[in-house]
Amino acid sequence: VRCQHYPPLRALQASAALRRASDEHKKEPLTSSSQQHFDSPPAGHQPEQEPQGPRPSYTGQGGQESEDYESEEQLQHRILTAALEFVPEHGWTAEAIAEGAKTLGLSVAAAGMFHSDGSELVLHFVSECNAKLSKMLEKEQKLVQLGEAEKKPIDEFLRHAVEARLRMLIPYIEKWPQALSVLLLPRNIPSSLNLLTSMIDDIWHYAGDQSTDFNWYTRRAVLTGIYNTTELVMMQDSSPDFEDTWRFLENRVADAVTMSNTASQVQSTGEAVVQGLMGAAVTVSNAETSRAVR
Amino acid sequence: VRLWRCRCWALLSRPAGRLRASRGLAAGPEMHFGFQSVTEEERREKIYQVFESVAKKYDVMNDSMTLGIHRVWKDILMHKMNPSPGTLLLDVAGGTGDIAFRFINYVRSVRERQLQRKLKHHQNLSWQDIFESYQKDKFNSLGDSQVVVCDINREMLKVGKQKAQHLGYSEGLSWVLGNAEELPFDSDKFDVYTIAFGIRNVTRVDLALQEAYRVLKPGGRFLCLEFSHVSNPLLSRLYDLYSFQVIPVLGEVIAGDWKSYQYLVESIRRFPPQEELKAMIEDAGFFKVDYENLNFGIVAIHSGFKL
């Protein structure tokens, strides 16, 4: 739970909830990202708000330093991050966003800034997870480069990356089917597809893929197939710590690697389709058995 | 003769463009009252008289002028607001209570759904628990939501209170006499501020917007439902025809008051268009200001947040 740094006096700017970036700097060194935001302010802004670059700091009343104010996007990010805590209870909905806004000291009406179907919340979560994954893979790559860790063989690397990424869903696994349906709304498909492909790209990049021929596409397609099917299997997996899911993942990755070893060129989308079919078959059979057991 | 004069006025004022001074934007004491030019004080008085005389027939006239579509507009406004239980709403110029009653209905149904969902989750409650939770929630059917209806005109408030009694709305509702340019409330109090078909009649719109900003909590939302400008030329002509030929006649026939409805139609033409109002709202300090046209711009909903 973040403690709230709200300027008790409104000093020079009328906005009360847009925190001074200086307060945020005290908590996390996010200078570079906040500068990025200031470089591209949303259109239609009045001159009161100063999103362009750092201004000379000076003391307002009460001895507080007034530097840059955060932009609307940053505030929205903070609201969405706070809202994630309420997702297990309320689902991916405007209610969760309203609760999140409340914890930041804002009115519940602030949830009106977002769509009432919770799209932004899901997309925000997915992009946060992808960012976390990237950072993790980058760190591991650095360790390998410094010689402090062994370079993993390709199948183990892929397994490790996909597992790490899917584990981030565990706290929200109950409501994840709802999130998937939100991601498939026509309005959201461009963004969700974008997030998915960039994540797959990242994983292959850190796996050391340097291909510039047709392999590039086939590798992306294969890994996308593996990721999506494993996600579906995880949805209805009730084994302790999702062991069944990881075993499924291991088998799929092994299949993919074997096939690329036996052929000089990985066969294209045919593989992805087969994997998709296998994954669907496993999902269905698991669903049947679990239903039969009940 | 009167009809011809109105059309003449309409044709004359449009090519003359927007006469800034008579738009009521602080240039001087000269303001617009419909297509006439009056001082600030005169304007306030005239508008008060208009609503005093139409108060009793206000709802009937709304239905006949807009063919009942105003109900849809107000419903859309409520859906856009999407209030959750616990919201504190200030409805300014809310006179006869249309927005307030819709708010109460909406919040009540959301609350019911919430309670149902909660009960579904608790699968293993004993009968005692269910009984207790039912007792507790029966007295909280609104979930602590409240709406304050504020209007400058006593007659309109009277009609509103009578309606509330007649329709059975009692809890979560309060009626306050007040001026939108100088609200009798503390700062940072309300979650949502609405003004439906009222801001057009405010003499100093900028002051009203500043007051709206003041009384809203941080994160609070400003919503304005108002007649606006139709950009489609064909539609605009039909709309003008309907407004100037039909509506005052309806006013005379149904409410016995030609002049008030003449004023109404003219005031719509004089009010700033969507983009200009958006700029004014931004000037008052609101962020994420946006508008949504309903019926091609006959009506527009402006929304802004106090961030």
Side-chain angles (χ1 to χ4, degrees), chain A residues 10 14-18 44 46 48-49 72 75-76 95 106-110 112-113 116, chain B residues 82 84 87 114 117 188 191-192 213 217-221 282-283 286-288 305-307:
Chain A
R10 295 218 201 125
S15 72
L18 288 185
Q46 60 278 37
E48 287 166 13
Q49 197 197 25
E72 290 166 12
L75 179 66
Q76 288 186 303
E95 274 174 6
L106 295 174
S107 152
V108 290
M113 280 196 281
S116 49
Chain B
N82 194 15
S84 47
T87 301
Q114 247 184 12
R117 231 183 302 145
D188 301 330
D191 290 305
V192 186
Y213 189 85
K217 281 190 214 160
R221 189 171 195 185
E282 281 174 349
D283 282 339
F286 290 99
F287 287 96
K288 283 199 82 71
F305 290 89
K306 173 175 178 174
L307 293 180

Side-chain angles (χ1 to χ4, degrees), chain A residues 11 28 47 105 154 156 161 198 214:
Chain A
E28 319 151 16
I154 194 78
E156 205 184 305
S198 56
F214 198 71

Side-chain angles (χ1 to χ4, degrees), chain A residues 15 29 47 51 81 84 120 134 136 141 160 165 167 171 192 194 201 215 230 239 242 244-245 250 252 257 275:
Chain A
S15 72
T81 311
L84 287 177
E120 280 103 335
S134 285
M136 185 193 87
Q141 193 190 47
H160 164 73
R165 176 61 176 79
R167 276 191 183 276
S192 63
N194 199 5
D201 253 346
N215 272 327
T230 315
S239 61
F242 301 94
D244 290 346
T245 311
E250 191 180 333
R252 297 289 79 69
V257 170
Q275 297 205 12

Side-chain angles (χ1 to χ4, degrees), chain B residues 166-183:
Chain B
H166 179 66
L167 295 170
Y169 292 98
S170 53
E171 57 166 329
L173 195 54
S174 38
W175 308 84
V176 175
L177 189 71
N179 184 348
E181 298 167 11
E182 213 182 321
L183 291 171

Side-chain angles (χ1 to χ4, degrees), chain A residues 65-142:
Chain A
E65 295 222 318
S66 320
E67 290 180 324
D68 309 315
Y69 279 80
E70 68 175 352
S71 67
E72 290 166 12
E73 274 100 34
Q74 288 177 314
L75 179 66
Q76 288 186 303
H77 269 261
R78 275 200 301 131
I79 295 178
L80 291 177
T81 311
L84 287 177
E85 178 186 334
F86 298 94
V87 166
E89 185 189 340
H90 293 280
W92 303 90
T93 57
E95 274 174 6
I97 300 179
E99 294 288 324
K102 250 207 286 195
T103 60
L104 293 180
L106 295 174
S107 152
V108 290
M113 280 196 281
F114 308 98
H115 270 116
S116 49
D117 57 12
S119 304
E120 280 103 335
L121 188 55
V122 180
L123 291 171
H124 170 81
F125 174 68
V126 170
S127 80
E128 291 280 305
C129 287
N130 291 356
K132 259 197 283 186
L133 179 71
S134 285
K135 250 190 273 192
M136 185 193 87
L137 292 178
E138 190 183 341
K139 233 188 331 167
E140 289 175 6
Q141 193 190 47
K142 279 210 176 67

Side-chain angles (χ1 to χ4, degrees), chain A residues 8 60 82 92 94 105 118 149 152 159 167-168 194 199 208 222 246 271 279:
Chain A
W92 303 90
K152 295 198 180 86
R159 253 198 314 139
R167 276 191 183 276
M168 297 181 200
N194 199 5
M199 175 196 50
V222 163
W246 311 137
E271 305 310 327

